[in-house]
Amino acid sequence: MVERLPQNPLIKPADVQPSRPDFEVIGAFNAGVARVGEETVLLLRVAERPRERDANYAVAPIWNAERGEIDFFTVRRGDPDLVEEDVRVFRYRGDFYLTSISHLRLARSKDGVQFAIDEKPALAPLAKTEAFGLEDPRITLIGQDYWITYKAVSNHGITTALASTRDFVSYERHGIIFCPENLDVVIFPEKIGGQYAAWTRPVGKHLGSPSIWLARSPDLLHWGAHEPVLTPRPGLWDGARVGSSCVPFKTERGWVEIYHGADEANRYCCGVALIDLDDPSRVLARSDRPLMQPEAPYEVEGFFGGVVFACGADMRPDGQVFIYYGASDETTCAAATTVDELLTHVE
């Protein structure tokens, strides 16, 4: 059984201080998770937009890497070249823009429920390939280093970038490791067959549906040997697209991966896949029913309703597994389960 914490949502936009006084936080969600000593650490995706907006204009905040500041691209509503697809995005003359810009913010907790949130970003846009922001981090501990994969978004497309830290105080950026469009990258926490492994999600423009692929690397920086491993199943909860959610963790039966899927109605749920211990390209089983689906009011309604989207799971000392997930692209929530319960979904 998976039980949502009664304190949900744990983190709401109002709980996060904006990075600048003229901005407002509209989302604090899709957090990567790590255990540091006795603390649970979240690396939140914080989405912001200008506090004061003219209703006659669509506005996109864009990081200008050359000047080291944010510009604002505006288009008057009523312009025939403006297409507003939903509250998150718009297109103008064929180009894609976001209505908010995201950075990564640190939050710490002793109990995994009550979090203290830093006042300033941990990682903010820096490169030109991050002009639209940093999104959806995943955190893998290998040795003493925490490796952070995140989406770097710009007019050049969605890439996956890599950063590392030992203390969540200072960070080293390693640049782009997967070119557009490749996202939802989770790195396995140990070498398999002498190489590092990652599940990725390249997005084909013409053929194929959004599926999970495997990539291998000798050093975490250079990736190859790509191959598809898990594809959508038309008619089921993951019929339209699939992508990795949490960093896989090891059990006697195999690697357990909590992944996300969306159906043809764009409804996002979470499920479970079991992966061979010695071959990360071999999926032994996957859940026919969702582990979690949008049901609670804060999951069904919100900034972009109908979304349950996890980016990290915390294996707690008491044997529980806390799954931290974004609800409706707005808040951070958590649900408690156990390893045994997760394995029942792949029997």
Side-chain angles (χ1 to χ4, degrees):
M1 185 175 182
V2 178
E3 296 184 353
R4 291 164 172 80
L5 299 193
Q7 297 90 343
N8 280 348
L10 302 184
I11 300 175
K12 302 182 292 295
D15 300 327
V16 183
Q17 182 172 310
S19 64
R20 45 189 278 177
D22 59 334
F23 271 16
E24 63 176 352
V25 175
I26 59 172
F29 59 109
N30 293 5
V33 184
R35 180 158 287 277
V36 182
E38 297 182 354
E39 287 189 321
T40 300
V41 170
L42 299 183
L43 202 54
L44 301 162
R45 171 184 170 184
V46 174
E48 300 176 298
R49 67 184 179 189
R51 188 182 302 275
E52 301 293 334
R53 299 181 310 283
D54 189 329
N56 295 316
Y57 290 87
V59 180
I62 301 173
W63 172 252
N64 187 315
E66 292 182 359
R67 292 207 307 271
E69 61 185 28
I70 292 176
D71 295 332
F72 299 93
F73 177 74
T74 63
V75 182
R76 178 177 287 276
R77 290 192 167 97
D79 189 313
D81 292 322
L82 173 65
V83 179
E84 297 186 84
E85 298 186 350
D86 59 48
V87 294
R88 304 170 301 173
V89 301
F90 65 86
R91 292 183 183 273
Y92 184 68
R93 295 181 178 175
D95 290 329
F96 174 93
Y97 298 91
L98 298 183
T99 58
S100 63
I101 188 167
S102 296
H103 64 263
L104 307 183
R105 188 84 65 98
L106 195 71
R108 297 180 184 269
S109 174
K110 291 291 188 182
D111 61 4
V113 179
Q114 302 289 333
F115 283 88
I117 305 166
D118 282 2
E119 295 184 358
K120 297 181 179 180
L123 290 166
L126 185 62
K128 63 182 180 180
T129 50
E130 299 170 347
F132 294 172
L134 284 57
E135 303 177 357
D136 303 355
R138 277 80 167 184
I139 306 171
T140 301
L141 176 62
I142 301 176
Q144 295 180 302
D145 296 300
Y146 296 91
W147 295 89
I148 304 162
T149 59
Y150 63 90
K151 288 163 57 179
V153 186
S154 73
N155 59 316
H156 298 287
I158 301 174
T159 67
T160 294
L162 183 69
S164 63
T165 184
R166 288 194 170 186
D167 54 13
F168 289 94
V169 176
S170 60
Y171 301 83
E172 182 178 358
R173 296 190 191 226
H174 303 279
I176 294 171
I177 56 173
F178 292 100
C179 290
E181 295 216 346
N182 205 320
L183 52 152
D184 298 331
V185 173
V186 296
I187 298 174
F188 285 69
E190 62 183 59
K191 286 185 175 180
I192 303 174
Q195 291 185 306
Y196 296 105
W199 271 18
T200 78
R201 219 286 294 280
V203 181
K205 292 296 185 183
H206 300 290
L207 294 174
S209 53
S211 303
I212 297 174
W213 287 52
L214 170 72
R216 303 177 190 267
S217 172
D219 57 7
L220 295 171
L221 300 178
H222 305 89
W223 295 87
H226 303 275
E227 58 180 309
V229 295
L230 192 145
T231 59
R233 297 173 292 184
L236 294 182
W237 64 273
D238 54 359
R241 65 183 64 85
V242 291
S244 298
S245 286
C246 304
V247 172
F249 61 87
K250 199 173 189 179
T251 71
E252 292 183 356
R253 289 180 52 188
W255 295 97
V256 173
E257 163 63 16
I258 299 171
Y259 74 98
H260 63 268
D263 60 18
E264 289 75 6
N266 216 30
R267 184 170 178 265
Y268 277 79
C269 304
C270 290
V272 183
L274 187 66
I275 309 163
D276 187 277
L277 287 175
D278 301 316
D279 184 358
S281 71
R282 184 169 175 240
V283 178
L284 302 176
R286 57 195 285 195
S287 50
D288 289 330
R289 67 187 192 279
L291 175 70
M292 293 184 64
Q293 55 189 334
E295 294 176 333
Y298 48 82
E299 299 163 354
V300 175
E301 303 169 357
F303 184 72
F304 192 77
V307 175
V308 170
F309 192 97
C311 285
D314 179 25
M315 309 289 291
R316 299 175 60 78
D318 61 5
Q320 285 188 309
V321 179
F322 272 25
I323 301 170
Y324 291 91
Y325 65 95
S328 297
D329 278 4
E330 184 173 345
T331 62
T332 295
C333 302
T337 186
T338 64
V339 173
D340 288 343
E341 173 63 27
L342 291 173
L343 289 172
T344 65
H345 281 258
V346 288
E347 292 180 346

